[in-house]
Amino acid sequence: GVFQLSDKQYVCGGNFCIRKKILFDVKGFNPDGFSRDKMHLRGDGEIGLLKKMHKKNYRILYNNNAFVQHMISEERISLPYVKKRFSNEGISASFTAARKYGGSRLCILSDAVITMFRLIFYQTQKTLIGGPRRIKSEVFSHYLWSRFKHDFRIIADSNLRGHVVKNNFLDN
């Protein structure tokens, strides 16, 4: 069936469509995929777009009968790839938090300190345990380390801070 999503529910962009008028009204997607050398410009993509749509009270629907066959390479189901994806998600989380704080360096710093303590916990856990929980800790450590580094990059770089809080990614 078709379900309306609440402001706490999101979908990924693998099978995503939006009316052009709405896309322009909310000023487009926040930035997403970038080459490795420009990864610091990464944002929260479709999640950010959906947040902007929720803010303007647009209905967001999910159709669980929609079907997409998504072919992925074997490399994308490897542990190194999952770690890389989690690192990218750490950057996206940093972007989202910095936007929420309006680019406030003090708020971003307090978030970074919490992230650092979480990272220490997961790094310690990774060292002490084995099996699937160790892998989870290892992967999540990549997320936290990437987020921590990106938080500090936003704090230190006023141009990046300006990019993060930008409201319109449709215009240059």
Side-chain angles (χ1 to χ4, degrees):
V2 177
F3 306 93
Q4 184 166 339
L5 300 182
S6 76
D7 64 344
K8 304 287 187 252
Q9 296 174 304
Y10 302 100
V11 295
C12 70
N15 185 20
F16 190 98
C17 64
I18 181 172
R19 289 187 177 123
K20 182 179 178 180
K21 178 182 177 237
I22 294 172
L23 181 66
F24 280 85
D25 183 47
V26 297
K27 310 295 189 237
F29 283 89
N30 292 341
D32 199 352
F34 284 97
S35 60
R36 201 81 222 138
D37 63 319
K38 297 206 183 314
M39 192 57 71
H40 63 283
L41 299 173
R42 178 185 176 86
D44 52 8
E46 63 268 7
I47 301 288
L49 175 68
L50 293 172
K51 286 180 179 186
K52 292 190 285 188
M53 290 172 64
H54 281 302
K55 199 172 189 178
K56 289 196 165 213
N57 295 315
Y58 283 112
R59 288 186 326 141
I60 301 168
L61 304 175
Y62 172 77
N63 184 342
N64 67 356
N65 293 317
F67 177 79
V68 172
Q69 187 171 359
H70 191 94
M71 306 294 281
I72 61 170
S73 67
E74 197 169 311
E75 180 259 340
R76 287 182 65 183
I77 55 173
S78 68
L79 185 56
Y81 179 82
V82 172
K83 289 177 184 178
K84 185 172 88 174
R85 278 294 305 152
F86 269 72
S87 290
N88 292 347
E89 291 307 315
I91 294 169
S92 293
S94 171
F95 176 95
T96 300
R99 280 181 72 81
K100 179 177 86 176
Y101 300 135
S104 164
R105 292 164 62 179
L106 185 58
C107 291
I108 297 167
L109 178 62
S110 62
D111 238 25
V113 169
I114 292 167
T115 299
M116 180 190 64
F117 281 111
R118 292 175 71 202
L119 177 61
I120 291 167
F121 170 78
Y122 277 96
Q123 288 287 81
T124 304
Q125 188 178 44
K126 178 177 84 171
T127 308
L128 298 175
I129 60 174
R133 285 183 48 208
R134 182 186 186 287
I135 293 171
K136 177 186 173 193
S137 294
E138 191 174 329
V139 167
F140 200 60
S141 291
H142 280 263
Y143 165 88
L144 292 167
W145 177 238
S146 186
R147 178 171 179 173
F148 179 76
K149 289 188 306 184
H150 196 259
D151 284 344
F152 275 94
R153 191 164 187 172
I154 293 171
I155 290 167
D157 185 340
S158 62
N159 289 331
L160 181 56
R161 240 183 353 274
H163 168 78
V164 166
V165 298
K166 185 176 174 180
N167 286 318
N168 186 349
F169 288 98
L170 292 174
D171 300 332
N172 287 338

